[in-house]
Amino acid sequence: MKTLAIYSSVALLATSVCSSWVPTPPALPHYYASRGLNSALPRAENSTGSWPYGPLKTQGRHIVNARGDVISWAGVNWPMSGESMIPEGLEWASVDDILDMIQSVGFNFIRMGYAIQMVDEIYDRNGEDVPLDVAMIMAVGYENGTKITNEIISKNPGWTAQTTRFEIWSDIADAALKKGIFIHPDVHVGKAMWCCSHVDGNSWFDDLNFNASEWRRGLAYIATWAKDHPNVASMSLRNELRESWNVTDLYYNWQTLIGNMSAGADAIYEANPDLLISWSGMQYDQDLSALISGKNILTAPCYKCTAIRDAYRSEPEYFDLDSYPWADKIVWELHLYGSSEDVDTGTCEIIEAGLYRNGFNALGIDAPSGCNITSDCPPATRLTPVILSEFGHAQASTLYNDTLQNCLQEYTKKHGISWAMWSLAGSYRIRSGVQGLQDIWGLTNFEWSGWLDPDTIEGYWKPWVEAMNVTTL
């Protein structure tokens, strides 16, 4: 018997590096100093003396700050992984206006989905970040790119066409800090595009658009950037891992997942040991069962996994989180949508049993009644925080009657589970090749000037957020 405190041989084939490798990122220029401005928002020190009283860590099933207070999140996903790699909506509203909308619902957490390409381009440009006008023109063409650049500047007059992507990020983080909002950068994709599918090249380690070495380099860069922003208290490893249908020999299984994700956690921890690290699961982040329930990694089931032929003749392998230096920094994250291919979302009994089996058992909660039906609800081997970092539905009155959404609402309230809904964005400057696309799953209207459905904001989202007793200033 052995534990996976080191990478498996299969995972090493995928990563091709030692676990201690972390790149030296290009220098991160101080935004305001480089522009000769003195209007910077004050940057609070990341200490017990000021909010958010970091660094945060895990303690059993809870996330706690340096004072020992339990942290609770309820938030939104703010997409920024599209081709421009600039947060959506800024041509319609200022940073402060968007954050005020978020805060008005009671949300205290923003999961910022980004593309590793954003960091790759800095390395390609010898350490220089991409300015706003170049980002827009590259994404949507010269005419529309110039138009959108001017609109963004008019709504955010502190910026110019030369303001860079990470300067925009820093301004958002600084403004959010003043409002008591946590920022959580999430690696949504490798190549900037709409996510997610089996054929987009972003599916699995060393897929067509998922260079594992560049992914680790990007994680280290973001972790370094976060040092200047105390409300950036956490970041993700990778969004919605899934089987690649482009490259079919990538060993899609638990063994390769653990080897690569451990290497990613090393990259973050060595760059910035203060950060929490969220670790997602298999099959579009629906399943973490093998890691949490202490199963033999070689034989544990997962949907459409690559079989390990000699698994039953090999010495068992187990994942031991406590053997890693970042053991008290890991937060498990799971997603669930009604379009799930392999998880039954038809009745709340079955939904709760699936949530428990796939990872929420790590909270130490009792097995739900649906486990009597599924007969697949093992206990967790270790108490660890688990969050629901993505789920969604059209923003309309149908929310009130949707089985999955209402089951998730009651589940998170009953067990004190932090969450982030998909999504804030009511429109995209470009998505799947379509410019100016409206999204009825987004909270805002097309112009980001108000809510798409004010009734569900008042009657559905606000009461849910209020029930979560979120951590505020």
Side-chain angles (χ1 to χ4, degrees), residues 221-436:
Y221 188 93
I222 300 299
T224 301
W225 167 82
K227 289 180 178 180
D228 284 338
H229 306 287
N231 56 327
V232 183
S234 60
M235 62 180 286
S236 82
L237 285 169
R238 190 76 187 196
N239 177 68
E240 296 199 350
L241 291 160
R242 55 206 178 272
E243 180 190 25
S244 170
W245 293 355
N246 297 309
V247 185
T248 58
D249 60 350
L250 296 179
Y251 301 99
Y252 176 72
N253 55 35
W254 294 110
Q255 194 178 46
T256 308
L257 173 82
I258 291 170
N260 281 280
M261 295 291 261
S262 297
D266 282 344
I268 293 173
Y269 187 76
E270 293 179 28
N272 185 350
D274 286 347
L275 290 172
L276 293 176
I277 303 168
S278 68
W279 180 315
S280 59
M282 304 286 276
Q283 179 57 7
Y284 294 89
D285 194 13
Q286 292 178 166
D287 186 7
L288 280 162
S289 58
L291 283 72
I292 291 173
S293 302
K295 297 177 181 178
N296 178 1
I297 299 305
L298 304 182
T299 59
C302 66
Y303 187 66
K304 293 186 176 179
C305 268
T306 305
I308 300 174
R309 292 182 61 199
D310 62 349
Y312 289 98
R313 290 185 285 113
S314 302
E315 186 179 356
E317 296 183 4
Y318 300 95
F319 177 70
D320 179 14
L321 179 54
D322 286 313
S323 68
Y324 293 91
W326 27 261
D328 67 348
K329 294 295 182 178
I330 292 296
V331 175
W332 305 121
E333 63 172 311
L334 289 169
H335 297 176
L336 190 57
Y337 285 96
S339 57
S340 162
E341 179 182 350
D342 59 311
V343 177
D344 187 346
T345 59
T347 66
C348 200
E349 263 192 325
I350 301 300
I351 292 168
E352 288 196 355
L355 291 170
Y356 183 90
R357 179 259 183 200
N358 289 332
F360 283 101
N361 52 349
L363 297 177
I365 59 181
D366 292 336
S369 61
C371 290
N372 295 326
I373 301 170
T374 64
S375 300
D376 185 20
C377 292
T381 58
R382 181 187 194 274
L383 291 179
T384 311
V386 191
I387 65 173
L388 183 68
S389 57
E390 248 192 69
F391 61 95
H393 188 274
Q395 300 306 304
S397 60
T398 50
L399 263 176
Y400 292 109
N401 299 315
D402 185 85
T403 298
L404 176 59
Q405 302 308 306
N406 289 305
C407 183
L408 293 176
Q409 179 180 148
E410 291 308 310
Y411 194 75
T412 59
K413 287 160 60 175
K414 178 168 56 177
H415 298 298
I417 297 167
S418 293
W419 51 266
M421 62 82 63
W422 185 272
S423 76
L424 176 66
S427 62
Y428 292 79
R429 59 184 67 100
I430 181 170
R431 179 174 134 181
S432 301
V434 179
Q435 295 192 28

Side-chain angles (χ1 to χ4, degrees), residues 101-122:
M101 290 180 71
I102 291 170
Q103 190 177 43
S104 72
V105 184
F107 295 128
N108 72 333
F109 179 86
I110 300 172
R111 183 172 179 256
M112 302 197 329
Y114 70 95
I116 288 293
Q117 181 183 339
M118 182 175 165
V119 177
D120 293 343
E121 290 180 354
I122 294 176

Side-chain angles (χ1 to χ4, degrees), residues 90 132 148-161:
L90 292 171
L132 174 59
I148 293 172
T149 297
N150 291 334
E151 290 169 346
I152 289 175
I153 293 168
S154 71
K155 294 294 190 299
N156 299 273
W159 300 341
T160 71

